[in-house]
Structures are given as C-alpha cells and as structure tokens.
Amino acid sequence: MLYRRAGIRHTSYRHERMLWPLPFDRYLVGTIAAFLIVAPFLIDRLYLVAYLLPWLIWSMAALGLNLLMGGAGQIHLGYGAVMAIGAYSSVHLVRAGVPFEIAMIAGGLASAMIGVIFGFAALRVKTLYLAMSTLAMQYIVDFVIAHVPAISGGTQATIQVPPVRFLGLRIEGDIATYYFALAVCTVVTLFMLNVHRTGFGRALAAVREKDYAAEVIGVSTFKYKLLAFWTSSFIGGVVGAVLVVCYLRSVSPDQFHIDLSVQIVAMVIVGGLGSVLGSFFGAALILFTPIVLNNLVASIAAGAGLSLSSDLRAHIPLMLYGALIVGFLVLEPLGLAKIYDNVRNYFLVWPFRYARK
Amino acid sequence: MNVDRRTFIASTAATMLTGTTVTTWAQDRIVKIGMPMDFTRVYTFVTAEYAQGHRDYLTLINDRGGAGGYKILADITDHGNDIPRAIEAYERMKREGAVLIDPLSTPVARALVPRALEDKINMVTTLSGRSDAADGEAFPYVMPLSPNYWTQAGLLIDYFRQQDKDLRGKKIVLVHIDTPFGKEPIPIFQALAGKLGYSLQTFPYAPPGNDQAAIWPQVRRAQPDWIIFWGAGVGQTVALSEAVRNGLKMDRISSSVWLSESDMDVVGKDACKGVIKFEAAAGGRDPKVIQQILSEVVGKGKGAGQEAKVGTSYYNIGVMMAAIAAEGVRKAAEKAPNGPVTGPWLNAGIRSISDFTAEGMLPGITVTSQDHQGGGKGRIARWDGAKFAPQTDWFTANQDLVWSEIKKYSEEFKKSGK
C-alpha cells in the first residue's frame, strides 16, 4: 500500500537506473532531507549540537569504513587513526595559513597515503590477521602523534582549531557547522549510494566475494584492494577534519584512540555491512543509546523517588545497552538496515501477502 | 524504598508524561552545577568516591540552608570518558541552567575548554585537565582550583631536598605512563635537576600500565635515591606492586596525588608501608568537616554511598571541591545577593575566594583573576600501614618555575584558535 509499485514503467535506461524507483521512497528521502535542512530552525539547540551534528559526522565515518568492510570485505580496526591523520594534517595546515578547502582535501590525501601503506598488509593477509595488522596501525599512529611534539602540540597535547572559512563562509557557531557537516555528509552519502553501480564498486564486490576468483575474471586484486583502502582512508581523513572543525574544536590524541575505531566498526556491523542506510542507523544506535538510556534511568529514578548510588545509576544503562546490542544482532544478524528492509518488504505487498513470491 | 512492578511502571509512565525534568526545589534560590563524570570506563572507583564526597558535602550545606542563601543542586551523570556523551551532557546541563561543570576527566576537560570559554560556564578541572589553565587571564572560566601536576612535581622535589638537605649528585627516577599526561611533569623535573644538581632518569611504560614487569628491574638496577611514579588508575596500583616485588625501599618511593587507600588494599597495606604521596586536602576522618558529615549526613542515613568510604583520599577531594564551589557561591551571593545566577556571577564569586581552609581541611586557598590554581599549596603524606600520615605542614615551592611553564603554554593557547 505504502510502497506502491503499480504504474511504474521504465521508458529509458536512465529512468530504470534511478536510485529510488518507488515514489514512496523518494518522498521519504525528500522529507528527511527537508527536515535536515530546516532542522536548525525547528528543533531545540541541544538536539542540534549534541545529537544531529555528531550523528552526521559519525555516520560519515561509518560510511567510509563501510566502503572498505561492506564493499571490499576488508576489516579495519584502525579507522580512528585514519581520522586522526586527517584531523591533525588539516588543522596543522590551517594553522600554517592554508585555506580550509585545501587543508581538508589535503587531510584526506594524507590519510589516504598512510592508509594505503597499511593497506598493503591486506594483499597478503585476510580476516583476523588483517584485523591485527590494522590494529597495529592504530597503535603506531597513536604513538607517533603522542611522541612528536610538533604534531601533538607539546606538553598539553591539545591544539585549538583556528576559525576557518569554507568558500568564504565562516564555519563557527551552531548553525554554520551543522550545515557544513550536512553538506559533506550529503556528498559522501551520494558517493556511497552510487559507488555500487560503478565498475569500481563491482570490482570491489568481486574482491569481497573471493579475491582469487576476481583475479581469474580479470579484476586486479592488487589494484582494487589498495584502491579500497585509499578511498576509504580518504573519506576517513576528510571526516576527521570535519569532526575537529565542526564538533570538537580542539584536537588531542585521546580523541582518536582505539575506542573510536571500535565504535565505528560497531556502527558498521550493527547497522549492516555494505548498507548506506545501515551506517546511519548504526551511528545513531551506538552514539545515542548510552545517552538516552542514561537520561531515562535518571528520570525514572528521580520520578520514582529512588535514591540510587551514582555508581549503580551509571552502570544500569550500560547493562541495558549491552543487552540491546546483543538483542538486535540476535533478532537480525544482518543489521538494523535489514530490519528496516524486512518492514519495507512487508509493506511492499501489504495487504496482499500472498503476492510475495 | 521497596519498588514493586506497579510503582515502577506507574512512575515510568509518569516521568514519560512529565518529560525529563529532574527534581526541582520550590524555592528559586538555587545554583545548579553539572557533574558529568566517568563512572564506567577509566576513572571508575576514583569517580565514585569523589562524587560521594561531593554529594555528602552538598547535603550538609543544603540542610543547613545553603551557601549564602542559595541551595546547590548537583546533577551527576556518567559520560564514560566518551567525548560525544560528555558534550551532550554538557549541552543539556547548560540548557538546564548549570553554571558550573565538573567533568573530572582530562580528555573531556580538554575537549570542553573551547565551549566553556565561549559559553561563560565555569568548568572545574580538579587535579586534571590542562595545567596551564591555572592562568586565569588566558582561561577565565576554567578552574583547576587545585595544585596542578607541575606544582605537585615541584613540591615532591622540594620535599626530597628537605629530607636529604642537598640533592647534588643524587639520582631521581621517574616512572611514568607514556602519554601526554605522564610526560607533563618532565620539564619541571629537568629544570630542577639543573638547579639542584641531581640527575634524572625517566622510565616510560605503555598505557594503560597493567604490565610494568620489564620496567621495574631496570629501576632497581639504576639504584636511585628517590623514585617517583606518575600515572592514573590501574597503572598506579601495578607500579606500586612491582616496586614491592623488586624490593625497593618504600620510604624512597613517591607518587602524585593519585594514590589512595584503595590502591593500598590491593597491593597490601603492610607491604607498602612508607610510601609517599602528594596531598591536596587532608585525608582521613579527623578534619572537622568530615566529622560534621559523619554526624549530620551519614549518621542520619542521608549518605550518598558506603560509610566505609568516608574519609578516604578521593572522598575528601570530593568534599574539598564541593566546599570550594560552595564558598564560591557564598562569595558570589555576598557580591550580588539577588543574582541572577549565571556563569559570570559565580565566576566573580570563585575568583574572590581568599584563604579558604574549609575549617582546617585545606591549605588556605586563594583564587584570584590571575591565579586559578588557588595558591599551589599542598603537603606530603606517608602511608603508615593504616592511613596516610602528613609529613609536612601545608607548603608551596618552586612556584616561579611552575608559573613560567604555565605562562609559556597559556601564551601559546592565547595565540592559537584565533
């Protein structure tokens, strides 16, 4: 009923290759896009700066990693380090007087170059072994940042981000930072939506399914594995730059530790490997469930007049959070995106269930 | 209180309906402070003990009618040392009218500095955060209100000098966690080495420091006259047990402020008899304030946690910070009795605290618009097998050196971000 397929006729190849052939999907995407555009004027400031903004940024990071993990089937446990390289390179360049437009891209390129070096491991090893080699990247980058005062900023190890301009607009305050993140997120999302339909995306899929089979049919695994690392790291670097400029406003090494890498891997897995929508769902779940549960437990405790110890109050949400993640993965191992897909499939033919093949 | 399922569901529904408002008092004269802290990731028991002391002191003050006529309402929540969670908590508390934020975490404090300065919200960085925030001119709204790590380093070395009369030719070893935090005091130790003539040797261990087995035999081989270990959380406990295992002389081993009775329980109370640490507030149950808390708060069943924790080091640091905040509120109310309660209102109060001792629990703390460290006084305490016994009176030392370091970095901060 909702997702009506009746009356859709393709009259050209272009039309047939539309991203969202169903009108309902288009309306849904349009509504969400419209909401995101007017959000700064609709919702409370708190939800803008503390929820929507980080959600956009972390979703971008999850998208970048999803290209590598879901698209090319290569695991990466050092994505936080990739973002750190982008963040530090771009901030240092901006401090040196380079315009942010260039610094952001340069941050991406720096991440891409270093990311590819560690990507070479992927040519020889797979799965858990690759996980270990990328983990090594995380620790090496952490170590280098913390031990080179020229990078970390000396004893205090915190660098303030100078005010930046992008194409003449000052990126500061709540609204400009939000729109900037939204713009970059739109670009990354469009890229990710389309990459599956390009030769590059199909080559990655071939590599993901079986790398030597890909080689047999003429897809160079050497080239495409490295390209996958390159592209994914480039996105990671750009996201790192956006993260520090729009959200953190200062850079210090502990913002990019293994915790961040694991967080993003969790977003990709909980959201759904290879799914664009899943990256957004995963980012929302991993980022906000602890916060929402924490506030909920607090208000329930306050409302019921319970005097919980601070310690217990802090741990109850964590237990619920763990249970929730396990629950979601047991319910649908393919991730949150698949849960949405199940609902959508149900409504595709509702109320004529027998019409499903 | 007994909660059955019905009350639980009913109250859940009720709070859902009324929204997420926290308990509010009938009166208007309230100062809200926000304490997003890390109960679950890195600082864990440190935070629990600190928050307990903080809450108990506020209960004491509020039951007596508040500070300067204002009741102080603390909203304590967990941020798990995670920056997005901390920023969400900060923004939410700011919206609810908090005028003081106490994150008790160095990474979070560093990340919140730009926001606190911009929003004019006082951010307390107790024995954590940026050391150069002691410079009140560069960081008007960042309030360490406690001796920073450079001061602690300076005081420890001065204590060694007092003990040995002359440090010329002595060897001092620093065992530290290999992070920016662990390396922070090194410039002070080096500068003092040049001045006092001792030699300094440093041994970094990999974070988080739960394996230091390779380091401590090297420390023993170096035959140091004094040993300082510098870390946080589990690294401290491990360092101390490795020192015991290597048979080092306990009365020549010292630590920054982050060592407590809980560490001693783990390592063995007798095994580490003699260990020295820096103290920012008097420990134990002797201080008058702690006695008052015991009789008026804990004794009446209003305590925020286990009674056994009352008087432990971190509990008392929590009391110390609550007392300083309350004194700030009292001073602010003296200056402008009718508020309005804002960040700048409280800021003016905190910055006019002078010679505040919390009835003998603290060294005289004086905060000015230049000095947010509060004077940089502390004392040295020694573990005697049951408690940390003070070895010195409150004193301060090497502040010229500390302040040149503070100025160096605060100048850099002022220049950056522009």
Side-chain angles (χ1 to χ4, degrees):
Chain A
M1 179 195 68
L2 288 172
Y3 300 87
R4 249 156 52 114
R5 279 188 292 192
I8 301 173
R9 283 177 219 90
H10 302 298
T11 50
S12 66
Y13 285 118
R14 253 180 89 88
H15 195 255
E16 200 269 329
R17 279 174 57 85
M18 278 168 76
L19 271 178
W20 297 289
L22 300 191
F24 183 79
D25 282 337
R26 283 203 294 277
Y27 298 145
L28 201 61
V29 170
T31 315
I32 292 168
F35 169 74
L36 288 177
I37 288 169
V38 297
F41 310 101
L42 273 187
I43 60 173
D44 190 89
R45 185 181 164 277
L46 171 71
Y47 297 104
L48 186 73
V49 298
Y51 291 85
L52 272 187
L53 179 61
W55 178 60
L56 288 177
I57 296 172
W58 262 262
S59 299
M60 274 191 269
L63 283 172
L65 183 59
N66 218 338
L67 177 71
L68 193 61
M69 283 182 61
Q74 309 296 313
I75 193 163
H76 201 320
L77 288 184
Y79 209 64
V82 171
M83 291 166 69
I85 296 167
Y88 272 99
S89 321
S90 53
V91 168
H92 278 296
L93 284 174
V94 168
R95 277 160 63 94
V98 176
F100 182 59
E101 298 88 339
I102 298 171
M104 186 173 90
I105 303 295
L109 289 175
S111 289
M113 275 183 310
I114 298 171
V116 159
I117 293 172
F118 287 90
F120 272 104
L123 298 174
R124 299 302 295 266
V125 294
K126 286 177 204 164
T127 59
L128 281 178
Y129 302 95
L130 181 59
M132 292 312 288
S133 0
T134 49
L135 196 61
M137 172 184 185
Q138 175 75 47
Y139 284 108
I140 291 169
V141 171
D142 277 357
F143 184 86
V144 170
I145 291 176
H147 284 79
V148 181
I151 300 179
S152 69
T155 314
Q156 291 304 319
T158 309
I159 307 174
Q160 303 299 310
V161 180
V164 296
R165 287 171 171 278
F166 191 84
L167 302 178
L169 292 166
R170 283 180 77 93
I171 303 181
E172 59 177 14
D174 306 328
I175 294 178
T177 51
Y178 170 76
Y179 278 126
F180 181 67
L182 183 62
V184 179
C185 186
T186 311
V187 174
V188 174
T189 309
L190 285 177
F191 171 77
M192 288 298 294
L193 281 172
N194 285 293
V195 75
H196 306 295
R197 321 194 297 168
T198 61
F200 174 55
R202 280 188 288 268
L204 291 189
V207 171
R208 174 187 67 206
E209 296 305 327
K210 206 59 153 182
D211 50 4
Y212 50 83
E215 194 81 60
V216 168
I217 58 169
V219 173
S220 162
T221 49
F222 175 82
K223 180 179 161 193
Y224 282 103
K225 275 187 179 173
L226 289 188
L227 262 182
F229 270 91
W230 198 96
T231 318
S232 165
S233 305
F234 179 81
I235 297 175
V238 171
V239 175
V242 175
L243 173 70
V244 293
V245 166
C246 294
Y247 185 63
L248 296 175
R249 299 178 207 170
S250 65
V251 209
S252 63
D254 34 44
Q255 292 160 346
F256 300 98
H257 276 178
I258 180 78
D259 308 23
L260 178 66
S261 301
V262 173
Q263 204 179 31
I264 298 169
V265 170
M267 286 171 186
V268 170
I269 292 175
V270 174
L273 279 170
S275 160
V276 173
L277 186 64
S279 302
F280 286 91
F281 285 158
L285 185 83
I286 301 289
L287 269 185
F288 303 129
T289 315
I291 298 178
V292 171
L293 287 175
N294 203 14
N295 295 349
L296 202 65
V297 168
S299 62
I300 290 174
L306 286 171
S307 173
L308 295 180
S309 80
S310 318
D311 217 9
L312 182 64
R313 217 200 88 176
H315 281 90
I316 291 174
L318 275 192
M319 290 185 255
L320 293 175
Y321 176 51
L324 206 66
I325 288 187
V326 175
F328 272 123
L329 287 180
V330 168
L331 187 72
E332 184 49 77
L334 295 178
L336 297 172
K338 182 67 186 161
I339 294 181
Y340 170 75
D341 201 43
N342 292 344
V343 173
R344 186 173 173 276
N345 281 341
Y346 179 80
F347 279 110
L348 263 177
V349 287
W350 186 86
F352 308 111
R353 259 177 86 186
Y354 53 84
R356 208 162 10 164
K357 44 190 182 301
Chain B
M1 169 181 171
N2 250 337
V3 193
D4 59 8
R5 207 174 63 176
R6 181 167 299 198
T7 10
F8 185 77
I9 291 173
S11 54
T12 312
T15 43
M16 296 272 193
L17 284 174
T18 51
T20 54
T21 43
V22 191
T23 337
T24 44
W25 259 301
Q27 309 96 314
D28 293 324
R29 295 173 82 82
I30 288 175
V31 175
K32 281 189 180 174
I33 64 180
M35 297 166 68
M37 296 178 160
D38 170 27
F39 286 91
T40 49
R41 195 73 68 87
V42 183
Y43 305 100
T44 56
F45 75 93
V46 178
T47 313
E49 291 171 14
Y50 176 94
Q52 188 186 343
H54 206 288
R55 282 174 70 178
D56 282 350
Y57 185 83
L58 290 186
T59 311
L60 178 77
I61 285 289
N62 286 337
D63 284 356
R64 290 176 175 174
Y70 285 87
K71 295 211 167 176
I72 302 173
L73 184 61
D75 182 6
I76 303 180
T77 182
D78 177 38
H79 63 48
N81 226 24
D82 186 32
I83 309 287
R85 286 184 67 181
I87 290 181
E88 191 272 347
Y90 169 86
E91 293 288 348
R92 187 163 38 81
M93 288 165 173
K94 182 181 124 190
R95 191 177 69 150
E96 282 165 9
V99 290
L100 183 142
I101 298 278
D102 184 355
L104 196 68
S105 150
T106 296
V108 169
R110 283 184 177 146
L112 288 180
V113 162
R115 285 172 200 261
L117 291 179
E118 197 184 307
D119 300 335
K120 294 195 170 31
I121 287 183
N122 303 284
M123 179 168 69
V124 173
T125 56
T126 317
L127 303 162
S128 59
R130 301 177 65 109
S131 286
D132 56 353
D135 183 353
E137 280 164 345
F139 297 89
Y141 285 88
V142 184
M143 303 277 177
L145 303 176
S146 48
N148 63 25
Y149 291 117
W150 292 326
T151 297
Q152 294 179 31
L155 261 69
L156 281 174
I157 294 290
D158 198 65
Y159 177 70
F160 302 161
R161 188 191 54 77
Q162 292 170 24
Q163 294 295 298
D164 286 2
K165 304 292 177 274
D166 188 10
L167 288 179
R168 214 161 291 280
K170 302 275 170 146
K171 182 184 258 180
I172 295 179
V173 158
L174 172 70
V175 182
H176 66 90
I177 188 166
D178 201 7
T179 60
F181 151 72
K183 289 188 292 184
E184 199 171 359
I186 294 178
I188 298 289
F189 288 129
Q190 276 169 343
L192 285 172
K195 205 167 120 191
L196 300 173
Y198 62 83
S199 66
L200 175 75
Q201 208 173 342
T202 58
F203 291 94
Y205 60 80
N210 31 21
D211 183 11
Q212 302 173 26
I215 299 296
W216 286 89
Q218 295 178 43
V219 173
R220 189 184 57 194
R221 210 168 302 135
Q223 295 185 316
D225 295 289
W226 292 96
I227 301 169
I228 304 164
F229 61 100
W230 207 273
V234 66
Q236 295 290 81
T237 320
V238 174
L240 201 50
S241 39
E242 286 292 337
V244 172
R245 215 149 64 101
N246 281 282
L248 295 163
K249 271 192 242 138
M250 278 297 137
D251 55 354
R252 309 295 275 185
I253 297 181
S254 60
S255 156
S256 67
V257 72
W258 296 121
L259 193 68
S260 80
E261 291 80 358
S262 306
D263 296 308
M264 299 304 165
D265 285 343
V266 177
V267 182
K269 290 182 176 186
D270 291 326
C272 42
K273 200 183 275 182
V275 108
I276 304 162
K277 75 158 184 169
F278 172 86
E279 224 176 36
R285 290 183 171 193
D286 297 334
K288 210 171 146 194
V289 180
I290 304 295
Q291 286 299 324
Q292 289 165 350
I293 287 178
L294 277 171
S295 64
E296 291 178 40
V297 180
V298 179
K300 289 182 184 165
K302 292 187 205 163
Q306 297 169 37
E307 192 180 340
K309 293 289 177 196
V310 177
T312 57
S313 306
Y314 301 155
Y315 180 95
N316 285 17
I317 292 174
V319 172
M320 162 189 175
M321 295 320 285
I324 295 176
E327 175 70 5
V329 170
R330 201 179 64 76
K331 286 276 182 187
E334 239 170 49
K335 289 184 170 219
N338 294 317
V341 180
T342 58
W345 175 82
L346 182 59
N347 190 267
I350 294 178
R351 287 169 114 175
S352 55
I353 292 175
S354 88
D355 207 26
F356 176 64
T357 65
E359 299 177 78
M361 188 179 169
L362 312 175
I365 288 187
T366 304
V367 187
T368 64
S369 50
Q370 284 86 39
D371 176 11
H372 280 188
Q373 196 188 190
K377 283 190 208 141
R379 68 183 185 190
I380 305 297
R382 194 185 279 282
W383 179 252
D384 67 1
K387 62 174 193 308
F388 284 103
Q391 299 298 300
T392 63
D393 205 355
W394 302 112
F395 74 114
T396 186
N398 299 316
Q399 284 297 299
D400 47 341
L401 193 63
V402 170
W403 274 94
S404 72
E405 201 71 12
I406 291 172
K407 286 287 179 197
K408 190 171 117 197
Y409 285 97
S410 65
E411 287 301 323
E412 216 169 275
F413 176 84
K414 272 197 256 181
K415 270 187 276 164
S416 74
K418 292 246 162 58

